[in-house]
């Protein structure tokens, strides 16, 4: 048992069809494993012969896991904005393990905002409720989710009596936090011009360049904005660090016409719009602002101060002017309204300098008008998400939100291809030992063995069981050619073993780069761009690695522009081959996919019913269309990395192209 560093919660015998001995059923006290049961079995054989009818170009495969662990606890709508450690916000569905966000911890009398990280991220469908607050904040969550109120942690729903009795939200409760988050600015030409005006004027002198600052984030944003106007600048070290002082960098241009153009660019506008005002406030804050729970913008120039006050008023902020008799008539415009207004200022204007946006250490006081107005059932199930963090909480749309820890799942008599596939995982714990015994037999003919043809061998649970290193060692010692197909960059862990296998190829499945399509069809998988980074790292290490654009789903991710973009990035990553496969809908996957389609893309249901009316595969003409789409993409992008433009069609022990089989959909 390779999870010896974790607490064993339950162990019981359960007989599974096809296994002589009862399985050890385990649950573990770990964030990733909540509400997931692992059926540890001793396999008699792990080397599986592939049926001829499966259309695979190899005869043997190994699958250490049956089922795929995606997640278990699901609480909030995927578009719920979460406060990130850089002061911005990101939709809950887009978070990934390792992301830095804000949580809270108690220090003395108050909870204070602190940095923490995402340790797990999950999703499924559950009955949804809408929680409406006095300030207009709207939260979509499951009934089991908990929020921090002025009376402690409260579930969304509950009862006063009976088995459902538990602390739950009522209209007498007030939630803790800063209130709903503002939308960020659009990066229009007016916003960029306003930002440059605020930054350059805030620095003190519009008649001189270079522009020198200690924070590279602001300088590089300014340089980028100037470059878009064909006003190129150089970056240089203005002053080296010394003692307690930080290094100062600068951007400059020596061309007279560019200097004059920049001066014209930062003239005060006659009729500024909201975008210009947002950009100006972001720029002058980066230049002369400070924040320690209170936003202040200092300046000695009367016009700059007047414009700062005007822009704040226009965007609905209140401020006061502080004049403490400082040298050179230095005065401060101070934002009023407490932390809720500070957060709204950061989100509305989006300053570039991360350190100035920090609220770490600030007390989480209930200043916003967050009284509960109503808790209403939506009358339907929705895709809901949850995360586990280091602090046990996170900030969801301005409200302190608790991690959800699931109760143990029910005991199922039979597994199914839906929820059970995600939560009832069969683990062949003796896979490395049995693989070695089978591959070292004198009768073994050293045919190609592929992993990842049924379920992803590098799903997150592999980080705990660590079955694959032993499998790769057996491949190496038996000199068996092999390959792997996965969605996960976790395979980089075993890169040194890959180098030792006589003939080895890796393939990563990257069906789309479109954020909406990815979140809808693969909500629990590593980001597609992370997979492309893994392709690049493997190829740099000498491991021939290709890409499988699969499944290509008609009307969802099969546009030429999407495919061409994947091909372009894969070429840059050094991919040795690329293949595309039209969607297969075999067995129970068909019903699951069609249910998903009815919920998310009902407009496509008639098309799919026609395409798959006769079986698991789309008609020949549709499959040929998909093939032509990929070939056309290769021609447009000039994809010829690794000397290959077409994936091999036949069985070959050194193939780098993926097999013509799609990864698991659900």
């Amino acid at each position: 048992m390779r999870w010896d560093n974790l607490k064993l919660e339950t162990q019981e015998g359960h007989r599974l069809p096809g296994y002589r001995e009862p399985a050890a059923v385990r649950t573990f006290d770990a964030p990733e494993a909540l509400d997931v049961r692992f059926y540890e079995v001793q396999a008699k054989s792990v080397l599986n012969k592939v049926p001829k009818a499966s259309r695979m170009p190899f005869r043997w495969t190994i699958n250490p896991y049956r089922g795929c662990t995606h997640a278990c606890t699901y609480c909030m709508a995927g578009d719920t904005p979460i406060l990130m450690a850089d002061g911005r916000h990101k939709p809950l569905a887009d978070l990934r393990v390792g992301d830095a966000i804000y949580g809270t911890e108690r220090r003395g009398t108050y909870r204070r905002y602190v940095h923490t990280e995402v340790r797990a991220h999950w999703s499924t469908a559950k009955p949804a409720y809408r929680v409406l607050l006095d300030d207009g904040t709207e939260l979509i969550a499951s009934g089991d989710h908990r929020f921090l109120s002025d009376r402690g942690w409260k579930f969304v729903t509950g009862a006063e009596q009976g088995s459902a009795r538990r602390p739950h939200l009522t209209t007498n409760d007030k939630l803790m936090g800063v209130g709903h988050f503002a939308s960020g600015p659009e990066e229009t030409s007016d916003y960029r011009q306003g930002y440059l005006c605020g930054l350059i004027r805030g620095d003190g002198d519009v008649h001189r360049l270079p522009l020198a600052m200690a924070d590279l984030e602001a300088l590089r944003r300014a340089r980028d904005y100037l470059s878009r106007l064909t006003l190129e600048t150089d970056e240089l070290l203005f002053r080296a660090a010394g003692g307690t002082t930080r290094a100062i960098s600068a951007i400059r241009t020596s061309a007279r016409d560019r200097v004059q153009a920049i001066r014209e660019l930062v003239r005060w506008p006659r009729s500024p719009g909201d975008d210009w005002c947002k950009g100006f406030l972001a720029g002058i804050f980066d230049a002369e602002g400070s924040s320690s729970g209170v936003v202040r913008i200092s300046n000695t120039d009367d016009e700059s101060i007047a414009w700062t006050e005007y822009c704040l008023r226009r965007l609905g902020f209140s401020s006061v002017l502080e004049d403490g008799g400082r040298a050179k008539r230095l005065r401060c415009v101070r934002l009023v309204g407490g932390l809720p207004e500070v957060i709204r200022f950061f989100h509305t204007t989006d300053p570039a300098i991360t350190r100035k946006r920090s609220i770490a250490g600030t007390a989480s006081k209930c200043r916003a008008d967050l009284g509960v107005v109503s808790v209403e059932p939506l009358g339907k199930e929705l895709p809901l998400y949850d995360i586990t963090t280091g602090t046990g909480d996170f900030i969801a749309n301005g409200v302190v939100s608790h991690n959800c820890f699931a109760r143990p799942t029910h005991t199922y008599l039979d597994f199914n291809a839906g929820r059970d596939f995600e939560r009832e995982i069969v683990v062949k714990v003796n896979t490395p030992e049995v693989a070695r015994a089978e591959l070292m037999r004198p009768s073994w003919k050293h045919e190609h063995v592929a992993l990842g043809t049924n379920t992803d061998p590098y799903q997150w649970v592999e980080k705990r069981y660590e079955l694959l290193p032993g499998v790769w060692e057996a491949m190496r010692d038996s000199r068996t050619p092999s390959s792997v197909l996965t969605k996960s960059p976790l395979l980089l862990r075993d890169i040194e073993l890959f180098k030792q296998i006589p003939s080895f190829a890796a393939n990563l499945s990257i069906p789309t780069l479109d954020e909406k399509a990815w979140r809808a069809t693969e909500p629990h998988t590593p980001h597609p761009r992370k997979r492309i980074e893994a392709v690049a790292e493997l190829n740099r290490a000498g491991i021939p690695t290709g890409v499988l654009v699969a499944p290509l789903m008609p009307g969802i991710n099969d546009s030429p522009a999407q495919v061409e973009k994947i091909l372009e990035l894969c070429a840059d990553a050094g991919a040795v081959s690329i293949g595309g496969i039209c969607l297969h809908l075999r067995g129970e996957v068909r019903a699951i996919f069609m249910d998903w389609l009815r919920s998310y893309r009902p407009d496509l249901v008639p098309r799919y019913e026609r395409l798959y009316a006769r079986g698991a595969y789309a008609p020949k003409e549709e499959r040929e269309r998909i093939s032509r789409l990929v070939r056309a993409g290769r021609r447009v992008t000039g994809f010829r990395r690794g000397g290959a433009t077409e994936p091999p069609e036949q069985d070959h022990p050194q193939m780098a192209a993926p097999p013509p089989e799609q990864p698991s959909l659900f």
Side-chain angles (χ1 to χ4, degrees):
M1 181 56 216
R2 293 171 173 80
W3 286 34
D4 53 3
N5 63 322
L6 296 176
K7 176 184 176 183
L8 178 65
E9 282 197 350
T10 66
Q11 180 171 347
E12 60 187 274
H14 186 90
R15 193 172 298 279
L16 295 175
Y19 294 95
R20 180 178 302 173
E21 299 297 327
V25 184
R26 300 179 185 266
T27 60
F28 295 91
D29 186 13
E32 305 93 335
L34 296 175
D35 206 21
V36 181
R37 301 197 305 176
F38 300 88
Y39 295 77
E40 296 175 3
V41 299
Q42 297 287 327
K44 294 179 62 177
S45 174
V46 297
L47 192 58
N48 303 312
K49 195 169 185 177
V50 179
K52 292 182 180 180
S54 68
R55 302 187 180 186
M56 291 194 182
F58 50 82
R59 294 210 304 157
W60 301 96
T61 183
I62 293 176
N63 293 293
Y65 305 98
R66 294 183 64 87
C68 195
T69 50
H70 291 313
C72 60
T73 309
Y74 315 91
C75 284
M76 301 194 71
D79 59 356
T80 305
I82 305 302
L83 187 61
M84 308 300 291
D86 64 2
R88 297 175 174 88
H89 55 73
K90 181 187 289 189
L92 178 56
D94 291 353
L95 293 183
R96 288 297 173 263
V97 172
D99 283 350
I101 64 173
Y102 273 104
T104 70
E105 66 179 24
R106 183 170 292 281
R107 296 178 183 174
T109 305
Y110 297 107
R111 281 183 173 270
R112 297 185 180 273
Y113 294 101
V114 296
H115 290 166
T116 186
E117 71 172 11
V118 177
R119 295 183 176 176
H121 183 265
W122 312 307
S123 171
T124 194
K126 287 186 105 175
Y129 294 80
R130 177 187 289 109
V131 179
L132 184 64
L133 306 182
D134 280 328
D135 74 337
T137 298
E138 184 177 285
L139 301 158
I140 305 298
S142 73
D144 292 330
H145 198 72
R146 283 184 287 172
F147 294 104
L148 184 61
S149 76
D150 55 353
R151 301 178 181 182
W153 292 105
K154 295 287 188 79
F155 290 94
V156 171
T157 63
E160 297 297 334
Q161 304 292 333
S163 60
R165 182 181 180 184
R166 61 184 182 181
H168 61 281
L169 295 179
T170 71
T171 53
N172 293 322
D173 291 316
K174 186 177 183 181
L175 300 190
M176 303 294 291
V178 297
H180 66 88
F181 294 148
S183 300
E186 294 186 23
E187 199 180 79
T188 62
S189 59
D190 277 356
Y191 176 85
R192 292 191 290 269
Q193 187 170 345
Y195 181 83
L196 291 170
C197 181
L199 188 72
I200 294 171
R201 286 185 175 275
D203 192 53
D205 189 353
V206 297
H207 300 293
R208 70 172 178 87
L209 286 176
L211 175 65
M213 302 183 71
D215 294 282
L216 290 175
E217 292 163 305
L219 282 179
R220 289 177 178 170
R221 181 187 283 190
R223 190 181 183 193
D224 173 54
Y225 287 179
L226 290 169
S227 177
R228 297 189 195 192
L229 298 169
T230 67
L231 299 173
E232 301 298 333
T233 57
D234 299 317
E235 185 177 314
L236 69 152
L237 179 64
F238 189 78
R239 187 182 70 195
T244 59
T245 61
R246 295 189 295 160
I248 295 179
S249 297
I251 57 173
R252 69 178 179 185
T253 180
S254 57
R256 181 178 299 177
D257 59 333
R258 293 177 186 171
V259 173
Q260 182 59 37
I262 292 172
R263 290 172 181 168
E264 292 295 325
L265 185 66
V266 301
R267 286 184 182 275
W268 298 118
R270 291 186 176 181
S271 54
D274 286 352
D275 287 353
W276 188 93
C277 291
K278 293 174 184 179
F280 175 79
L281 290 173
I284 201 165
F285 178 80
D286 278 342
E288 295 295 333
S290 63
S291 173
S292 56
V294 178
V295 166
R296 288 184 171 88
I297 298 173
S298 305
N299 213 288
T300 59
D301 178 63
D302 290 340
E303 283 188 301
S304 295
I305 289 174
W307 276 98
T308 300
E309 292 180 307
Y310 166 78
C311 290
L312 287 171
R313 286 196 305 272
R314 178 170 182 137
L315 298 177
F317 293 100
S318 298
S319 65
V320 296
L321 185 62
E322 298 178 335
D323 187 350
R326 298 179 179 87
K328 299 182 180 180
R329 296 192 67 243
L330 179 68
R331 291 173 291 167
C332 296
V333 178
R334 176 170 62 83
L335 190 69
V336 299
L339 190 60
E341 289 296 272
V342 171
I343 297 295
R344 186 166 76 88
F345 174 84
F346 290 152
H347 290 166
T348 300
T349 64
D350 191 29
I353 300 175
T354 300
R355 68 172 180 86
K356 289 188 176 185
R357 302 171 66 124
S358 176
I359 62 168
T362 305
S364 175
K365 299 179 181 179
C366 193
R367 293 188 177 182
D369 194 8
L370 300 180
V372 175
V373 174
S374 63
V375 178
E376 301 173 347
L378 296 183
K380 58 183 177 180
E381 288 192 346
L382 291 177
L384 300 177
Y385 295 76
D386 192 28
I387 56 177
T388 293
T389 72
T391 57
D393 63 3
F394 53 97
I395 315 304
N397 203 12
V399 175
V400 181
S401 175
H402 201 285
N403 290 350
C404 284
F405 296 96
R407 298 178 177 88
T409 57
H410 296 290
T411 301
Y412 294 93
L413 297 176
D414 297 301
F415 294 161
N416 60 57
R419 290 167 62 90
D420 291 356
F421 185 79
E422 299 179 5
R423 301 189 181 190
E424 311 290 331
I425 311 302
V426 177
V427 184
K428 304 172 187 176
V429 293
N430 61 338
T431 295
E433 295 81 3
V434 177
R436 174 171 292 277
E438 293 184 311
L439 295 173
M440 296 299 288
R441 289 173 181 166
S443 60
W444 171 240
K445 298 185 182 300
H446 306 281
E447 295 182 65
H448 187 97
V449 177
L451 274 74
T453 62
N454 187 12
T455 56
D456 196 331
Y458 281 104
Q459 54 188 287
W460 68 259
V461 73
E462 168 59 18
K463 291 188 291 186
R464 301 297 186 178
Y465 277 102
E466 296 184 352
L467 299 179
L468 291 180
V471 174
W472 301 130
E473 289 169 358
M475 299 284 191
R476 174 197 65 194
D477 296 343
S478 65
R479 303 189 64 79
T480 297
S482 53
S483 63
V484 64
L485 171 62
T486 180
K487 300 175 184 178
S488 174
L490 178 59
L491 84 167
L492 296 175
R493 179 199 65 187
D494 299 334
I495 197 167
E496 293 303 318
L497 285 171
F498 298 160
K499 295 177 182 178
Q500 300 168 27
I501 298 173
S503 177
F504 181 85
N507 300 277
L508 277 93
S509 166
I510 309 173
T512 183
L513 296 176
D514 181 79
E515 294 281 327
K516 185 176 181 180
W518 165 59
R519 288 197 301 267
T521 57
E522 293 187 331
H524 322 303
T525 58
H527 195 285
R529 293 184 183 272
K530 292 292 185 182
R531 303 181 217 179
I532 292 176
E533 292 172 8
V535 172
E537 186 167 345
L538 286 160
N539 280 304
R540 284 195 297 268
I543 307 298
T545 304
V547 171
L548 182 63
V549 186
L552 281 166
M553 295 169 281
I556 297 175
N557 68 334
D558 65 337
S559 73
Q562 289 189 53
V563 174
E564 288 170 16
K565 185 61 176 179
I566 293 177
L567 288 169
E568 178 183 347
L569 294 178
C570 291
D572 292 341
V576 299
S577 64
I578 191 163
I581 299 172
C582 189
L583 175 68
H584 304 165
L585 293 177
R586 289 194 295 269
E588 291 181 309
V589 170
R590 179 189 183 95
I592 296 170
F593 180 85
M594 293 304 293
D595 284 345
W596 174 86
L597 199 67
R598 292 184 187 97
S599 298
Y600 289 88
R601 291 297 304 273
D603 57 307
L604 292 176
V605 170
R607 180 179 179 183
Y608 275 78
E609 288 177 341
R610 290 193 305 271
L611 287 174
Y612 295 92
R614 296 188 177 183
Y617 297 91
K620 181 179 179 181
E621 57 268 26
E622 184 68 11
R623 300 198 304 271
E624 290 177 346
R625 183 188 70 83
I626 293 295
S627 296
R628 289 194 300 271
L629 177 69
V630 176
R631 288 196 298 270
R634 293 194 191 99
R635 288 194 296 272
V636 170
T637 61
F639 185 92
R640 293 184 179 276
R641 293 299 177 96
T645 59
E646 295 287 324
E649 299 286 339
Q650 71 282 3
D651 186 0
H652 193 289
Q654 298 188 34
M655 69 176 185
E661 174 70 314
Q662 71 187 19
S664 173
L665 281 174
F666 297 98

